[in-house]
Amino acid sequence: MGIERYLADRKGKQFCELRKETTTNNKSRKNRRRTRKSSPLPVQKLYETCNEVFASGGIGIVPPFEDIERVRDVLDKMEPVDVGLSPEMPYFRTTAGRRTPPITYLHLYESNKFSMGIFCLPPSGVIPLHNHPGMTVFSKLLFGTMHIKAYDWVDGGAVNGTSTRANVSRGRAPSRSIRLAKVKVDADFTAPCDSSILYPADGGNMHCFTAVTACAVLDVLGPPYSDRDGRHCSYYLDHPFTKFSVEEGVSVPEADRERYAWLEEREQPKDLAAVGAVYKGPKIVENR
């Protein structure tokens, strides 16, 4: 189960379509339709672009470069007002007496090809380290400052052609597999900034978000999580490289070891405080 699937309020999908016009003025109605067709709202344009880009996609399939740029171009221009958000909204307030601030997920759209949603994080809110199996993911920070730490598996789990599974003979036996990963990103990002993109095997497929200030991030996943199709979300603990030894014949230069970590698969964190809420921004009209 993905974080988005966990948080989304499925009953909220009915709110993802615009209400039908009720005016009896046919000329006025046609003019409005013509305006919407020529200049769709940013969130509608994002939906239409993704609907085209991911139409023939699937697990592990990365869209062509020009299509990646099309989605990025739409996202880079989007602002909080385009999805009806502002930092003053209740989603972004710290709750007194709670150690882990709750995160709110606003569900925009989902099909078997892609999904769109917004994470609303109050200060110190955390989306724990997790993966995106076989997916291409776009993330647009709409406002605020967020720390992102992201990893990629080391050459699919190998260094110099040798397995990078951990040798835990000198430590405890883990309950799940441990694999070597390399840090792709470990930095603060402040809006406005360019959208980030991760791919099935590159770009930081496993990542963790930590809100430095109240912030909102718009995510597009292609394809979305699906337990039925084997695209379930895995969570990880990251351990320093020096905690375990690698198998014989594998070496990482000492000067580079801070750029590597062991990722241990874990259950979904019990302290993940999250709620789904109905998206109330500009609506999306699905293509018929």
Side-chain angles (χ1 to χ4, degrees), residues 93-153:
R93 297 173 187 164
T94 301
T95 304
R98 296 195 61 162
R99 294 181 59 187
T100 305
I103 297 166
T104 303
Y105 179 73
L106 307 178
H107 173 80
L108 272 66
Y109 174 81
E110 182 175 326
S111 69
N112 63 345
K113 294 295 184 179
F114 71 97
S115 66
M116 298 163 48
I118 302 169
F119 289 103
C120 304
L121 293 84
S124 301
V126 177
I127 299 177
L129 186 62
H130 62 284
N131 71 342
H132 297 83
M135 303 177 189
T136 300
V137 179
F138 298 80
S139 295
K140 168 62 177 179
L141 185 62
L142 295 169
F143 66 81
T145 298
M146 173 181 287
H147 185 87
I148 300 177
K149 190 165 189 179
Y151 298 90
D152 287 321
W153 297 124

Side-chain angles (χ1 to χ4, degrees), residues 49-58 61 63 67-68 71 113-115 136-138 220-223:
T49 303
C50 291
N51 205 37
E52 295 174 2
V53 167
F54 292 108
S56 58
I61 298 176
D67 284 342
I68 293 285
V71 178
K113 294 295 184 179
F114 71 97
S115 66
T136 300
V137 179
F138 298 80
V220 175
L221 280 62

Side-chain angles (χ1 to χ4, degrees), residues 30 49 61 75 79 133 143 180 237:
K30 289 179 181 179
T49 303
I61 298 176
L75 277 172
E79 300 179 354
F143 66 81
L180 186 62
L237 294 171

Side-chain angles (χ1 to χ4, degrees), residues 14-76:
Q14 61 183 301
F15 295 94
C16 290
E17 295 186 1
L18 285 169
R19 296 191 183 113
K20 294 181 179 179
E21 299 287 346
T22 56
T23 179
T24 57
N25 188 325
N26 291 333
K27 184 176 180 180
S28 177
R29 184 186 305 150
K30 289 179 181 179
N31 287 339
R32 281 195 294 272
R33 287 176 178 171
R34 188 177 299 114
T35 300
R36 285 201 299 268
K37 185 175 181 181
S38 60
S39 302
L41 295 173
V43 71
Q44 180 69 25
K45 185 175 181 180
L46 178 62
Y47 160 76
E48 292 174 358
T49 303
C50 291
N51 205 37
E52 295 174 2
V53 167
F54 292 108
S56 58
I59 186 167
I61 298 176
V62 177
F65 175 77
E66 56 271 22
D67 284 342
I68 293 285
E69 290 302 301
R70 288 178 61 199
V71 178
R72 189 208 297 264
D73 184 62
V74 176
L75 277 172
D76 282 350

Side-chain angles (χ1 to χ4, degrees), residues 154-281:
V154 174
D155 295 333
V159 172
N160 298 327
T162 307
S163 171
T164 53
R165 302 286 179 174
N167 181 348
V168 295
S169 59
R170 70 179 186 182
R172 63 177 177 80
S175 57
R176 293 176 177 81
S177 65
I178 292 181
R179 293 177 60 187
L180 186 62
K182 187 175 183 178
V183 176
K184 182 73 175 183
V185 177
D186 188 6
D188 289 347
F189 293 82
T190 300
C193 56
D194 292 340
S195 304
S196 62
I197 307 173
L198 63 86
Y199 303 94
D202 185 33
N205 192 276
M206 291 78 66
H207 65 202
C208 172
F209 291 163
T210 303
V212 178
T213 68
C215 56
V217 58
L218 170 58
D219 265 5
V220 175
L221 280 62
Y225 289 106
S226 172
D227 289 341
R228 182 185 62 185
D229 297 327
R231 296 190 302 276
H232 62 274
C233 184
S234 296
Y235 296 87
Y236 301 92
L237 294 171
D238 52 347
H239 302 285
F241 176 81
T242 54
K243 183 168 184 176
F244 303 111
S245 62
V246 294
E247 295 179 351
E248 185 177 353
V250 179
S251 63
V252 173
E254 187 170 352
D256 294 337
R257 290 182 178 180
E258 289 188 359
R259 299 168 56 202
Y260 291 83
W262 296 104
L263 301 192
E264 178 184 359
E265 191 173 344
R266 63 183 296 195
E267 296 288 347
Q268 179 175 297
K270 294 182 179 180
D271 61 350
L272 176 58
V275 294
V278 176
Y279 167 67
K280 297 180 180 180

Side-chain angles (χ1 to χ4, degrees), residues 86 100 288:
S86 72
T100 305
R288 302 300 183 185

